[in-house]
Amino acid sequence: MSKVNITIDGIKMQVPSDYSVLEAAKEMGVDIPTLCYLKGINEIGACRMCLVEIKQARGLQASCVYPVSEGLDIITNSEAIRKARKATLELILSNHDRSCLTCDRNNSCELQAISDKLNIRELKYEGEKTSYLLDDISHSIVRDNNKCILCRRCISMCKNIQTVGVIDATERGFHSNISSPFDLSLGEVPCISCGQCINVCPVGALREKDDTAHVWEAINDKTKHVVVQTAPAVRVAIGEEFGFPIGTGCTKNMVGALRRLGFDKVFDTDTAADLTIMEEGTELLQRIQNGGKLPLITSCSPGWITFCEYNFPDFLENLSTCKSPQQMFGAILKSYYAKKAGIDPKDMVVVSIMPCTAKKSECKRHEMGLDGIADVDYVLTTRELAKMIKEAGIDFKNVSSEHYDDPMGDASGAGVIFGATGGVMEAAIRTVYEIVTGDALEDLNVTAVRGIEGIKEAEVVIGDLVLKAAVASGTGNARKLMEMVQSGEKEYHFIEIMACPGGCVNGGGQPIQPSSVRSKIDLRAERAKAIYSEDMRLSLRKSHENETVKKMYAEFLGEPCGHMSHELLHTHYTAKEKYPMK
Amino acid sequence: MNKECCCENEKIEKLNKVIEEYINVEGALIPVLHEAQEIFGYLPMAVQKQIADGLNISLAEVYGVVTFYSAFTIYPKGQYQINVCLGTACYVKGANDILDQFKKILKVEVGQNTEDHKFSLNACRCVGACGLAPVVTVNEDVYGKLVADDVKGILEKYKD
């Protein structure tokens, strides 16, 4: 990249010619305030907080969208700039529901932070206020437009990155608001519940549906046996809520904290991930051997499943019939485990801790249960679990390090890596290779499918078969990949798709990091590193070597994809029409 | 009933042709919306859905544009469009009283239709006939130098 010479606040510097003024200033250590800006996702100059003076331009300019050029002379701090930024912020605040004390984003709000930073101590404008109804119809996402500052980050995420596009700016002027068409609820539109909008919201306008009260109630009910399971991606992110650096694995602290909360058993969803590999791996081999529908596409991500049902109904038969690991685990807990432990499944409550908001909707699907008993009763996000831990006064940093409970807490590294994009593919390859060839896989690290690229491809020689595989994360990338498959441009045997960019580590239920952190650190990469190092630490790294899973088949399930499996662990999908006319 | 159904299908076909014309044109949405409103008289969900699917953009985006511009409406319009000018000249000559009289007789607010879909009441900016202030237009007819008592007589003319 060629460089250009610019001057910022009288200091000369050289920066790459594709930088914005904001990026250049950041590199020099000048912290220009921003609200709508989110690197790589929303760079639209809408909020006018990042105003600067540019000698070569008239008036104040939004630095996030002003490209640098040779000789540019920039001032970032003057009376005029400070006044303009403050006035803009005061106007935003004048029509904002300022109930910070009871807000979900109290202490993690970018508007709150910037108000403090710009030294706002009184509000001069007390004008008219808009008033909107709370949208809490969706099982996963709650929208409160009274908190919305119209930054449009959620729109960029939903429309441009995820290509879901169920929200947009509507009306104009004072009545501008972000909503779904015809004021429909997020629960009535083709929203896939991925929750990426929540993760990019700078304020409390978007949040998950809070299920913590239900879980406290279950824990308090002494007649209930309350079992908790934790997804792989939760352990590498929950630490962020308690001051650990991004990308710190906190499995043992998390297990300790879950016991202190009062759960009767603490199990690992990774065990069910191993089970998923046994089922899905077998399904893949059967489809290849028997001329079944290919490519086989993974079904672990409920956001992706909903996306596929709405956008690629012709591919529903390509989806693996396997339930997602959380649902498989719920089904096993309420059958096999209940029987073993001598508990009536009706007296059991299964709680999942997930990095995901879509899982909240998934567990409510009527297929996800047997004889009227739901596989999973409640899903909490990583954030909700952190809230419960804080509410209970548990010192997460110093809580005793503990292990998952037997007999369902035993999992392989293959189960752990489910949390990162490419992980399911890698886990499947580790198992399928050894089942087909009978040989041990030399290098268990299938690096071709690792990394945060949106679409990855790999060819793996397994005996006589050259397995063609592809991995996509983020539904925008999934759409691209599926269109290539649809047109015949690409052919694969096996495709892994995760709805969230980077996979579950970057799920819609994970700790929220502000724009300032996201500009510097790639959350997907850092959290994934922790996932892979967790895998490396384990001696058991292949799903088919998991003794717990082997025992499950020997004592209860019979064989992978057998009759019992189909009853408990597999499901079906339904094409969905977008905006059906009543 | 049958006739209406046929007519509706014709409109849908007509809109499909418009969409086809614009499918590869950049910035197609607004001209397509204009033509759709010409065809249907308004832009209900079914029409917006047809446009979104046809142009391969989200319904949310279409709806966003429709609600941004006052030229578009998502509600059916009445047979007669009453426009009461609230431009400066008409305003100082008492246009507000005339508007209130229309509201009172028709029992609607600005932007709404009468129950029988006969009249839509709108307020508009200067129609360029300030010499006739205050001015009201009903479809193509122009009425000038009005007082509130004239309103009843104007409406009478469109009884049938």
Side-chain angles (χ1 to χ4, degrees), chain A residues 31-161:
Chain A
D31 191 9
I32 296 175
T34 59
L35 260 183
C36 69
Y37 174 80
L38 192 60
K39 193 180 173 187
I41 293 169
N42 201 46
E43 301 175 4
I44 58 172
C47 75
R48 318 309 288 175
M49 290 313 304
C50 66
L51 294 175
V52 294
E53 282 173 29
I54 290 172
K55 291 259 169 78
Q56 289 85 343
R58 282 172 61 192
L60 299 175
Q61 299 292 329
S63 61
C64 70
V65 288
Y66 205 100
V68 295
S69 58
E70 184 59 36
L72 215 59
D73 195 350
I74 303 144
I75 303 288
T76 70
N77 174 27
S78 72
E79 183 65 12
I81 292 169
R82 286 192 303 272
K83 268 191 172 157
R85 286 177 185 163
K86 241 176 158 158
T88 305
L89 184 57
E90 281 167 354
L91 283 167
I92 293 172
L93 289 169
S94 77
N95 190 24
H96 179 74
D97 174 3
R98 300 188 296 272
S99 50
C100 299
L101 283 178
T102 50
C103 182
D104 195 62
R105 294 290 296 274
N106 190 12
N107 280 333
S108 68
C109 171
E110 292 182 40
L111 184 65
Q112 200 179 42
I114 204 171
S115 300
D116 181 50
K117 203 163 164 182
L118 295 198
N119 201 19
I120 305 283
R121 298 297 162 227
E122 60 171 337
L123 291 166
K124 285 182 234 154
Y125 311 113
E126 275 299 344
E128 196 184 341
K129 277 195 165 189
T130 44
S131 171
Y132 298 98
L133 292 175
L134 191 73
D135 174 14
D136 60 353
I137 291 173
S138 153
H139 293 305
S140 298
I141 301 171
V142 177
R143 174 155 207 120
D144 181 357
N145 269 352
N146 299 306
K147 302 260 174 75
C148 177
I149 56 165
L150 303 171
C151 72
R152 290 160 170 78
R153 286 190 198 169
C154 57
I155 299 176
S156 292
M157 184 44 95
C158 186
K159 183 157 79 173
N160 305 335
I161 310 285

Side-chain angles (χ1 to χ4, degrees), chain A residues 190-235:
Chain A
C191 168
I192 62 166
S193 304
C194 68
Q196 287 298 310
C197 56
I198 300 176
N199 286 14
V200 298
C201 182
V203 293
L206 288 156
R207 59 176 192 263
E208 68 270 67
K209 187 77 153 275
D210 188 335
D211 284 305
T212 55
H214 298 294
V215 175
W216 281 124
E217 198 183 326
I219 290 172
N220 291 338
D221 187 342
K222 293 298 156 217
T223 67
K224 298 288 186 199
H225 182 74
V226 188
V227 177
V228 68
Q229 55 163 320
T230 66
V234 177
R235 68 204 65 189

Side-chain angles (χ1 to χ4, degrees), chain A residues 171-391:
Chain A
E171 303 291 340
R172 71 189 298 169
F174 186 63
H175 299 287
S176 294
N177 70 95
I178 313 302
S179 73
S180 296
F182 295 88
D183 280 330
L184 290 167
S185 158
L186 283 173
E188 300 169 312
V189 298
C191 168
I192 62 166
S193 304
C194 68
Q196 287 298 310
C197 56
I198 300 176
N199 286 14
V200 298
C201 182
V203 293
L206 288 156
R207 59 176 192 263
E208 68 270 67
K209 187 77 153 275
D210 188 335
D211 284 305
T212 55
H214 298 294
V215 175
W216 281 124
E217 198 183 326
I219 290 172
N220 291 338
D221 187 342
K222 293 298 156 217
T223 67
K224 298 288 186 199
H225 182 74
V226 188
V227 177
V228 68
Q229 55 163 320
T230 66
V234 177
R235 68 204 65 189
V236 297
I238 190 163
E240 293 167 32
E241 294 276 357
F242 300 96
F244 283 98
I246 292 164
T248 309
C250 291
T251 314
K252 289 175 178 171
N253 293 48
M254 180 182 69
V255 173
L258 285 166
R259 285 227 176 79
R260 300 292 91 70
L261 283 176
F263 288 103
D264 294 304
K265 290 284 177 190
V266 183
F267 292 142
D268 194 350
T269 312
D270 299 9
T271 310
D274 284 333
L275 188 61
T276 304
I277 288 300
M278 295 309 293
E279 293 292 324
E280 205 163 272
T282 306
E283 191 183 2
L284 175 66
L285 289 175
Q286 283 179 353
R287 287 198 193 198
I288 292 173
Q289 282 157 5
N290 307 334
K293 197 93 174 164
L294 290 172
L296 177 71
I297 309 173
T298 58
S299 56
C300 303
S301 166
W304 153 243
I305 292 297
T306 312
F307 187 82
C308 190
E309 288 177 321
Y310 275 120
N311 298 285
F312 294 95
D314 297 344
F315 281 90
L316 295 184
E317 280 181 43
N318 293 73
L319 292 176
S320 163
T321 58
C322 289
K323 287 181 182 173
S324 72
Q326 86 145 348
Q327 295 299 145
M328 275 200 188
F329 209 21
I332 285 289
L333 289 170
K334 288 196 177 175
S335 55
Y336 173 64
Y337 166 75
K339 207 163 154 193
K340 264 188 124 160
I343 299 162
D344 184 343
K346 286 194 185 77
D347 294 329
M348 192 188 280
V349 176
V350 173
V351 177
S352 304
I353 313 294
M354 296 284 137
C356 182
T357 44
K359 294 274 173 198
K360 283 177 184 277
S361 295
E362 182 188 40
C363 82
K364 297 273 193 320
R365 284 175 77 117
H366 69 92
E367 313 91 75
M368 296 298 174
L370 197 62
D371 304 329
I373 298 176
D375 296 337
V376 172
D377 296 282
Y378 303 112
V379 173
L380 300 181
T381 61
T382 309
R383 296 188 292 264
E384 284 172 285
L385 173 61
K387 277 184 207 156
M388 288 181 74
I389 293 170
K390 287 173 190 168
E391 199 181 340

Side-chain angles (χ1 to χ4, degrees), chain A residues 515-529:
Chain A
S515 172
S516 54
V517 171
R518 290 177 66 132
S519 297
K520 280 181 273 177
I521 296 170
D522 194 321
L523 301 176
R524 301 168 297 179
E526 291 309 311
R527 291 173 184 162
K529 266 188 222 159

Side-chain angles (χ1 to χ4, degrees), chain A residues 8-21:
Chain A
I8 297 184
D9 297 332
I11 298 166
K12 287 188 171 23
M13 65 185 293
Q14 260 198 347
V15 293
S17 59
D18 65 340
Y19 267 27
S20 65
V21 169

Side-chain angles (χ1 to χ4, degrees), chain A residues 159 165-172 179-184 577-581, chain B residues 43-46 48-49 53 58-65 67-70 74:
Chain A
K159 183 157 79 173
V166 293
I167 45 171
D168 219 310
T170 65
E171 303 291 340
R172 71 189 298 169
S179 73
S180 296
F182 295 88
D183 280 330
L184 290 167
E577 193 197 341
K578 292 179 180 181
Y579 307 102
M581 299 299 292
Chain B
L43 301 166
M45 191 177 188
Q48 292 191 35
K49 250 176 88 165
D53 292 345
S58 73
L59 180 62
E61 188 171 332
V62 174
Y63 180 79
V65 171
T67 55
F68 184 85
Y69 292 105
S70 56
I74 58 172

